């Protein structure tokens, strides 16, 4: 039983590390899209305001998730695992 648990924890750690690396590769592009979107909100068409708000929330959530995955990957690399918020 203990061998299976140790193998599972090794797999989870490897997955967290890989996910953290992928998120760190995507984070600059997400931040760039978010900044570009925030610059474009001021001159937006009033009809599209709801869409722009939804898009802004979605991009902010994606940035937060990417940062969390990066932290999770760093914690897995050092031997610890963080809990989900």
């Amino acid at each position: 039983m203990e061998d299976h648990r140790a193998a599972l924890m090794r797999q989870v750690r490897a997955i967290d590390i890989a996910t953290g690396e992928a998120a760190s590769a995507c984070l600059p592009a997400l931040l760039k899209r978010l900044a570009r979107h925030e610059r474009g909100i001021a001159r937006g068409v009033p009809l599209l305001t709801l869409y722009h708000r939804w898009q802004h929330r979605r991009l902010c959530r994606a940035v937060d998730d990417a940062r969390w995955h990066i932290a999770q990957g760093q914690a897995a690399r050092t031997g610890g695992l963080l809990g989900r918020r």
Side-chain angles (χ1 to χ4, degrees), residues 10-56:
R10 278 195 301 273
Q11 287 179 338
V12 168
R13 184 169 286 131
I15 290 169
D16 284 342
I17 290 170
T19 304
E21 290 173 359
S24 66
C26 293
L27 186 62
L30 283 172
L31 290 172
K32 187 176 180 179
R33 282 182 62 196
L34 181 61
R36 189 180 74 210
H37 182 76
E38 286 175 344
R39 283 193 307 269
I41 284 178
R43 57 192 156 156
V45 179
L47 183 64
L48 298 175
T49 302
L50 289 175
Y51 169 75
H52 285 292
R53 287 181 187 164
W54 172 79
Q55 182 74 9
H56 183 261

